[in-house]
Amino acid sequence: MRLQRREGESDWDFSTRLNQQVFESIYHCDYDFAPRAIERIVGLTPGSKLDQVGFLSPDIVCGFCHQVAFILAKALSNGGLNAKPLGVNGHVVTLAYIDGKPFVLDPDIGVGPIAYGDQMSDEAAHAYKTKLMDSTDQPPSPGLVRYMNKIVEAYATTEDDRPYFTLDWMSRIQIRQQRYILFVTVFAYGIGFLGLLLIFLCAVPGFKRRDT
């Protein structure tokens, strides 16, 4: 019921309220979490596309943003707004048309609406910095600062932004990435095992080269 539109509620008030409610209702990452070495290696692998869809990127390591972006987009659409998830270079937000104009909302962080366009980076930087300062009574952790800065960088251009069509589509990407990481992990351990086996065999007297 809380995600339903109230009688007489404007587009702006409706989208702002839902963005904050979704933000307050979800699990938030440990921003100081460090991905495993194998995840960083896979994230840097050409063609893995991990850095494009918000999962296990070397810089954006959480992966919950696409789920909450879908929730917010669906709730806003149910309330009469044209809204959809939007990928912004490793992070996923919600693009909504408020009073006929495009805005982005980030329910993962609780930021927005921010006017969407090629000149939005300054407004985004201000919005995320304000959120960072307001979200804690203590100095923010290095991980949170780094996470926020990477998100702000994602707003530098709209050229690499892309829509996300369904949650199932995103889930299939996540599953493929997990399988890819498993494959690389098994392959790496296999190479390591063969290397150790070779060292062991070379150390066995029967396998040493003998002078004639």
Side-chain angles (χ1 to χ4, degrees), residues 29-34 59-62 109 132 139-151:
C29 298
D30 176 5
Y31 298 108
D32 291 303
F33 162 78
D59 299 311
I60 301 178
V61 298
C62 287
I109 305 296
L132 186 64
S141 69
L144 179 58
V145 173
R146 183 170 57 251
Y147 185 70
M148 291 280 200
N149 289 338
K150 285 298 177 182
I151 292 176

Side-chain angles (χ1 to χ4, degrees), residues 39-72:
E39 292 169 348
R40 286 192 173 274
I41 293 172
V42 171
L44 295 171
T45 303
S48 67
K49 298 184 178 180
L50 298 188
D51 59 335
Q52 297 179 8
V53 291
F55 298 120
L56 297 177
S57 163
D59 299 311
I60 301 178
V61 298
C62 287
F64 297 104
C65 54
H66 77 288
Q67 297 163 333
V68 292
F70 270 100
I71 292 172
L72 180 60

Side-chain angles (χ1 to χ4, degrees), residues 50-168:
L50 298 188
D51 59 335
Q52 297 179 8
V53 291
F55 298 120
L56 297 177
S57 163
D59 299 311
I60 301 178
V61 298
C62 287
F64 297 104
C65 54
H66 77 288
Q67 297 163 333
V68 292
F70 270 100
I71 292 172
L72 180 60
K74 180 64 175 178
L76 292 176
S77 297
N78 289 342
L81 270 64
N82 179 5
K84 60 184 178 182
L86 181 73
V88 287
N89 193 22
H91 188 50
V92 186
V93 295
T94 300
L95 176 66
Y97 285 81
I98 302 173
D99 297 323
K101 297 180 180 179
F103 289 84
V104 291
L105 303 104
D106 187 348
D108 185 40
I109 305 296
V111 169
I114 300 171
Y116 180 70
D118 287 327
Q119 307 300 320
M120 64 180 172
S121 58
D122 289 343
E123 183 180 353
H126 175 73
Y128 281 89
K129 182 178 180 180
T130 301
K131 182 68 177 183
L132 186 64
M133 295 298 102
D134 292 345
S135 62
T136 178
D137 295 329
Q138 301 177 350
S141 69
L144 179 58
V145 173
R146 183 170 57 251
Y147 185 70
M148 291 280 200
N149 289 338
K150 285 298 177 182
I151 292 176
V152 170
E153 289 178 10
Y155 288 106
T157 176
T158 61
E159 292 182 1
D160 52 6
D161 297 349
R162 67 194 69 192
Y164 288 93
F165 303 104
T166 66
L167 191 57
D168 288 341

Side-chain angles (χ1 to χ4, degrees), residues 161-186:
D161 297 349
R162 67 194 69 192
Y164 288 93
F165 303 104
T166 66
L167 191 57
D168 288 341
W169 182 76
M170 287 293 290
S171 296
R172 287 196 297 270
I173 290 178
Q174 187 174 26
I175 291 171
R176 287 201 301 269
Q177 291 176 351
Q178 290 170 344
R179 290 175 178 172
Y180 183 60
I181 290 172
L182 177 61
F183 169 78
V184 173
T185 302
V186 172

